[in-house]
Amino acid sequence: MQRKMEIANTKWVAAAASIWIQSFSGASYTFGIYSSLLKSSQSYDQSTLDTVSVCKDIGANVGILSGLFYTAVASGKSGNGRFFSGPWVVIFVGLLQWFVGYGFIWMATSGVIERPPVAVMCFFMFLAGHCQPFFNTAIVVTAVRNFSDYGGTAVGIMKGYIGLSGAVLVQMYHIFCKGDPTNYLLLLAVVPSLLILTTMPFVRTYDTVIANDKKHLNGLSTISLIIVTYLMIVILVENIIGMSMTMKICSFTILVLLLASPLLVAIRAHREEKDRFMSLDFPVTEKTTLLDAPKLNPSPDVNVVMSNDMDVLQAIRTTNFWLLFTAMLCGMGSGLATVNNIRQVGESLRYSTVQLNSLVSLWSIWNFLGRFGSGYISDAYLHSHGWPRPVFMAITLTLMAIGHVVMASGLLGSLYIGSLIVGLAYGSQWALMPTITSEIFGIRHMGTIFYTISIASPVGSYFFSVKVIGYLYDQVASVDDHSCYGNHCFSTSFVIMAAMAMLGSLVAFVLFLRTKKFYATLVAKRILK
């Protein structure tokens, strides 16, 4: 019993629990599954549907409250001292919003209650999305604190699973809902709620650096790649040759076992740390060597003001904050608008239902690979070559612009290829931005600053979804049923978004020029230590 308690109280179990929560909480990325149901059951046109979806995006990205709440209840020495303190409290508040939000949407679309006004639906869609900042703040900030030397890798893994969760939830949709979006909304309200309620007490902070952190993070990374490869194979098999219900159940059972495997890493890490402690080798320290960077006093001509204890008001007064905000406005905004409308784009090109569901699932795969890959690669190049992370942001936003152009081309397979490129680039922003935020502005108020910058995502999504995609679509759609078929329905919108993504890349490059001296100092300090 004591041995089990020892294992449970480690940062590796916290990481495993965080992965499980993230793996089932990315429902916002499956909006495409029930968007058509929402549109038909509530008699929405495309612009109204996009407005409702933007409310979800606003909720999912405006996390200032979650950041402030985390600072209040979980930013102490370990955030675990009092009963009503620690990351789990933040997760629980998000869980309440999840259950109420998706529960109401299910009742509205299933006819349990009368059709609500658009404003009411927008509120509950906002509530369903607003749970995500509470989950992400608790999990991402805790991961950065627990694995401070490899924040990029840790954030990439945690943010990656929230992107991958779309594919996991789609598998559940196929098995338990049998193609019925109404039942899927009920499943969302109940099943993830129970799982999150069970695992959230294990998410705790341990402000230590262990000698083998990188080794065990690589183990989690390997498991992540195995899971994403397995999911990709399942999706392709289902799309190409089809799967019986028995095969779907078996494949999902294997997926659940794979998702449980991070616990094996936790057990192994605990055993090695205990053996090292017993041999009187003490590699545990309370100091971080990368993210807890020293305060610098850079020269005025560089105009870089960075500190590891900036609050949100101090951060907002810096140029770097607004450069990061603008880059995210262009990148995250256009990427989010793409995923929100990907089903409608496929329908306009007369894709089958199976192909449309595959698009949603594959987007989650690309999203995961972008988040995981950018975090891991940026960590590797920062440690080995001193490459500042903003340069990777500039590169990935350029790739996003290319992806939008491909989707606008209307060539055979362009939607699959374009969504692959845009999904990778979009996911990359969600791993790079939090880590850059923690390095430039510090960890203490990271949650608040990170989600203040994230406001750029729904703002950009609203502009691109409603004012660009929705407006241009309605101009060419049929007056009778608001439908449109052909490449012309969305091509102009994708060209506009490509131009804006390229603008974001240029802004990110400016941020790279302004911060390269800071990153050089950061790496030098780490080498000296």
Side-chain angles (χ1 to χ4, degrees), residues 362-518:
L362 287 172
W363 173 275
S364 297
I365 301 293
W366 314 142
N367 194 2
F368 168 84
L369 289 175
R371 293 173 188 232
F372 167 76
S374 63
Y376 188 91
I377 294 172
S378 65
D379 252 359
Y381 276 84
L382 176 63
H383 288 207
S384 61
H385 297 85
W387 284 28
R389 293 190 206 275
V391 74
F392 291 96
M393 183 173 286
I395 293 171
T396 53
L397 286 174
T398 299
L399 289 176
M400 180 176 286
I402 295 172
H404 285 313
V405 171
V406 171
M407 296 180 78
S409 68
L411 298 174
L412 182 64
S414 60
L415 186 55
Y416 279 101
I417 298 172
S419 63
L420 184 157
I421 299 172
V422 174
L424 288 172
Y426 173 75
S428 297
Q429 310 314 308
W430 281 113
L432 293 170
M433 192 269 280
T435 315
I436 292 173
T437 299
S438 69
E439 289 167 344
I440 295 179
F441 304 112
I443 297 178
R444 184 176 180 183
H445 299 283
M446 172 190 170
T448 309
I449 298 172
F450 158 49
Y451 269 111
T452 302
I453 296 172
S454 295
I455 294 174
S457 181
V459 170
S461 175
Y462 174 80
F463 173 76
F464 292 120
S465 293
V466 178
K467 300 301 181 181
V468 178
I469 294 177
Y471 174 79
L472 293 177
Y473 180 93
D474 288 338
Q475 294 301 303
V476 297
S478 168
V479 178
D480 297 329
D481 58 0
H482 305 292
S483 63
C484 176
Y485 297 97
N487 185 57
H488 66 286
C489 302
F490 292 95
S491 59
T492 304
S493 300
F494 282 120
V495 171
I496 294 173
M497 290 194 292
M500 294 304 295
M502 200 64 221
L503 174 63
S505 176
L506 295 176
V507 172
F509 185 74
V510 173
L511 181 64
F512 154 68
L513 294 176
R514 290 174 52 82
T515 57
K516 62 180 181 179
K517 289 186 178 180
F518 166 76

Side-chain angles (χ1 to χ4, degrees), residues 224-415:
S224 302
L225 291 175
I226 292 172
I227 291 174
V228 76
T229 302
Y230 173 75
L231 265 175
M232 189 183 305
I233 293 172
V234 169
I235 293 169
L236 291 176
V237 169
E238 188 172 13
N239 188 32
I240 296 174
I241 64 177
M243 295 176 67
S244 66
M245 182 56 65
T246 302
M247 292 177 63
K248 291 178 181 179
I249 293 173
C250 290
S251 66
F252 184 73
T253 302
I254 295 173
L255 176 61
V256 171
L257 293 175
L258 288 173
L259 289 172
S261 58
L263 190 58
L264 299 177
V265 175
I267 295 172
R268 179 183 177 186
H270 172 74
R271 184 184 299 116
E272 291 186 5
E273 290 168 18
K274 186 176 180 180
D275 291 344
R276 189 175 295 110
F277 180 82
M278 295 300 292
S279 65
L280 301 181
D281 183 10
F282 300 95
V284 182
T285 65
E286 291 293 330
K287 295 296 292 181
T288 63
T289 58
L290 180 58
L291 297 183
D292 283 343
K295 298 180 181 179
L296 303 177
N297 294 309
S299 58
D301 60 306
V302 178
N303 191 28
V304 179
V305 181
M306 302 173 198
S307 169
N308 64 343
D309 61 355
M310 274 194 192
D311 59 33
V312 65
L313 295 179
Q314 292 172 322
I316 287 175
R317 291 196 292 267
T318 66
T319 303
N320 291 332
F321 175 93
W322 292 106
L323 288 173
L324 196 53
F325 185 93
T326 303
M328 294 302 94
L329 183 76
C330 299
M332 289 182 176
S334 62
L336 196 54
T338 299
V339 68
N340 283 340
N341 290 277
I342 195 168
R343 191 177 189 90
Q344 280 70 38
V345 175
E347 288 176 347
S348 72
L349 298 175
R350 300 185 183 278
Y351 279 37
S352 67
T353 301
V354 173
Q355 289 175 316
L356 293 174
N357 290 335
S358 296
L359 272 174
V360 176
S361 299
L362 287 172
W363 173 275
S364 297
I365 301 293
W366 314 142
N367 194 2
F368 168 84
L369 289 175
R371 293 173 188 232
F372 167 76
S374 63
Y376 188 91
I377 294 172
S378 65
D379 252 359
Y381 276 84
L382 176 63
H383 288 207
S384 61
H385 297 85
W387 284 28
R389 293 190 206 275
V391 74
F392 291 96
M393 183 173 286
I395 293 171
T396 53
L397 286 174
T398 299
L399 289 176
M400 180 176 286
I402 295 172
H404 285 313
V405 171
V406 171
M407 296 180 78
S409 68
L411 298 174
L412 182 64
S414 60
L415 186 55

Side-chain angles (χ1 to χ4, degrees), residues 9 57 69 156 168-169 174 182 185 255 262 335 388 418 448 470 517:
N9 292 322
D57 299 336
F69 190 56
V168 176
L169 291 171
H174 288 318
T182 306
L185 287 168
L255 176 61
T448 309
K517 289 186 178 180

